[in-house]
Amino acid sequence: MGQTILVTGGAGFIGSNLVRFILENRPDDRVVNLDSLTYAGNLESLADFKDDPRHEFVHADIGDGEKLDEVMGRVDCVLHLAAESHVDRSIHDPSLFLRTNILGTQSLLDAVRRRGDSIGRFVYVSTDEVYGELPLDDKSQLFTESTPLKPNSPYAVSKTGGDMLARAYWHTYGMDVCITRCSNNFGAYQFPEKVIPLFVNKPIEGEQVPLYGDGSNIRDWLHVLYHCEAICRVLDDGVSGEAYNIGGNNERSNLELTKMLIELCGRDESAIKHVEDRLGHDMRYAIDATKIKRELGWEPTRSAWPAALEATVQWYKDNRDWSDRVRSGEYQRFYEQNYAK
Ligand SMILES: NC(=O)c1ccc[n+]([C@@H]2O[C@H](COP(=O)([O-])OP(=O)(O)OC[C@H]3O[C@@H](n4cnc5c(N)ncnc54)[C@H](O)[C@@H]3O)[C@@H](O)[C@H]2O)c1
């Protein structure tokens, strides 16, 4: 039987891909997409679902308890993605991150709790950054779900706060909570401040790409649609109270990624400008996703790389107008023009 799924942050990068994924792959389900439309929220990413009766957009902040009470009356479960998500911004304004990612999560959990048993599962979409960092020189080390949480940036701390709070609501109030901790996502509709769209737009426009430090930091990359699939798998079959790592089994240094991107944009290494490193830049993230594979049968296919990266670069090349409207601020008028009464 179909359900009505509340997706918070559904106008963001992963959220909009997830809303699209649900609407396209789960025909019996409906989505209530709740988003406050910060600078990172872009409803144009879901323009083709504007009039879909299975997609309801609610312009609201996760801190607005009254509004949440009204929305909770018509949903069956929650996928919580709304967050401040950019590490560099968190270094300059930690308080906003703590407010949204911890207090906002508490507000949402409380709204679910007020509904008692009428709401089923609550999935908190966390991140691998809650584990802190791994050394570069020992590739045998991976984050597992039992790795101690040791976040390093204000962003990671704020996500860890939300992560632990979600678990505490399971433990204390018996709420049906699952947590997902995923590595770096790439794909369409990512805000142009993030590395992949930024490192595609700049070379195309004849500019250099600003690479932090020597580029030796390593990240694990997963296509966003695999992440969406994994979140739905946890929603359907995850065990209450459990956390699930999600990863691409696809570690790349920032330098390797940068070289691939500029080459796909027809430029050589002269397009790289090394800039001062990010403060407290974590060296390496690497995920052991054995648990979700073993227990829920979810697995990313390694063959998705580099084809999925190439397709993503092509998407940004083909959708320059989407990026241009974000960079000019025009995208922020979409809600007003199409939704606001
Ligand atoms: N991007 C990644 O690689 C990655 C990896 C692992 C986990 N995550 C997590 O996934 C989630 C989504 O990440 P993203 O990259 O799509 O982020 P994003 O910044 O692109 O989107 C965040 C969305 O949340 C909305 N939002 C922010 N504050 C809000 C509030 N107070 N009330 C309602 N809506 C609000 C924004 O308007 C935006 O639409 C985040 O929780 C992030 O921590 C991201």
Side-chain angles (χ1 to χ4, degrees):
M1 205 182 65
Q3 48 189 346
T4 300
I5 304 172
L6 174 63
V7 177
T8 70
F13 162 49
I14 300 174
S16 62
N17 277 286
L18 180 61
V19 169
R20 180 180 297 276
F21 180 85
I22 293 169
L23 294 173
E24 287 177 349
N25 293 285
R26 299 170 65 107
D28 296 335
D29 290 343
R30 291 185 73 252
V31 173
V32 174
N33 175 358
L34 184 144
D35 198 297
S36 64
L37 299 180
T38 67
Y39 80 93
N42 184 355
L43 269 181
E44 274 193 32
S45 306
L46 289 168
D48 42 338
F49 293 99
K50 183 171 67 69
D51 301 317
D52 190 321
R54 292 168 54 230
H55 177 223
E56 177 193 352
F57 179 72
V58 178
H59 187 203
D61 193 296
I62 50 170
D64 182 346
E66 227 170 272
K67 189 75 190 176
L68 292 181
D69 282 343
E70 189 240 303
V71 171
M72 291 300 173
R74 55 183 189 278
V75 305
D76 301 307
C77 54
V78 181
L79 302 178
H80 176 34
L81 290 86
E84 289 294 337
S85 72
H86 193 42
V87 176
D88 288 341
R89 288 179 187 252
S90 83
I91 291 169
H92 300 295
D93 185 4
S95 65
L96 172 64
F97 281 69
L98 302 183
R99 202 162 53 240
T100 298
N101 298 356
I102 300 179
L103 296 179
T105 297
Q106 176 226 324
S107 159
L108 194 64
L109 285 161
D110 280 337
V112 172
R113 192 160 72 88
R114 286 194 290 275
R115 295 294 304 178
D117 288 341
S118 76
I119 300 200
R121 174 144 297 170
F122 182 104
V123 179
Y124 178 76
V125 176
S126 191
T127 163
D128 61 355
E129 298 192 36
V130 299
Y131 297 120
E133 67 178 342
L134 294 166
L136 281 182
D137 56 6
D138 180 3
K139 292 287 164 51
S140 69
Q141 291 192 42
L142 302 171
F143 296 134
T144 70
E145 290 81 356
S146 52
T147 301
L149 306 190
K150 209 173 155 197
N152 285 326
S153 70
Y155 162 70
V157 167
S158 68
K159 288 298 294 182
T160 307
D163 182 314
M164 296 177 98
L165 206 51
R167 188 186 169 281
Y169 273 59
W170 166 77
H171 183 86
T172 307
Y173 306 112
M175 274 175 54
D176 181 358
V177 171
C178 285
I179 293 163
T180 62
R181 299 183 185 137
C182 188
S183 55
N184 278 34
N185 284 212
F186 67 95
Y189 302 110
Q190 188 165 29
F191 199 80
E193 69 185 347
K194 299 282 174 79
V195 65
I196 290 185
L198 186 71
F199 283 21
V200 172
N201 286 330
K202 283 203 179 279
I204 289 176
E205 288 160 6
E207 292 181 39
Q208 286 184 298
V209 301
L211 179 64
Y212 281 135
D214 62 5
S216 59
N217 308 61
I218 290 178
R219 299 293 180 262
D220 172 61
W221 288 96
L222 178 72
H223 192 272
V224 64
L225 291 179
Y226 290 116
H227 187 190
C228 294
E229 200 180 43
I231 292 170
C232 288
R233 203 66 72 86
V234 171
L235 172 69
D236 292 339
D237 299 322
V239 174
S240 194
E242 293 293 311
Y244 296 90
N245 280 353
I246 302 168
N249 190 23
N250 184 29
E251 288 181 53
R252 306 285 157 186
S253 75
N254 288 349
L255 182 61
E256 182 186 355
L257 175 70
T258 302
K259 284 182 181 171
M260 288 180 78
L261 291 172
I262 57 177
E263 197 186 322
L264 288 167
C265 294
R267 298 281 302 277
D268 62 28
E269 286 180 34
S270 64
I272 301 176
K273 181 170 81 181
H274 291 272
V275 298
E276 195 179 330
D277 209 351
R278 168 189 279 168
L279 288 175
H281 205 172
D282 283 340
M283 286 317 298
R284 173 172 167 255
Y285 304 143
I287 281 276
D288 178 345
T290 308
K291 178 176 171 180
I292 190 169
K293 177 180 171 191
R294 189 183 59 235
E295 296 184 9
L296 307 184
W298 175 88
E299 194 175 8
T301 43
R302 176 79 189 274
S303 60
W305 187 274
L309 182 73
E310 287 161 13
T312 299
V313 169
Q314 194 57 46
W315 189 89
Y316 286 104
K317 286 182 182 172
D318 294 344
N319 291 276
R320 297 295 307 284
D321 51 336
W322 181 87
S323 295
D324 287 346
R325 282 201 299 281
V326 176
R327 291 184 296 174
S328 70
E330 181 67 18
Y331 74 110
Q332 286 178 311
R333 297 179 55 202
F334 187 85
Y335 172 73
E336 211 177 281
Q337 289 167 345
N338 292 279
Y339 285 86
K341 302 270 180 331

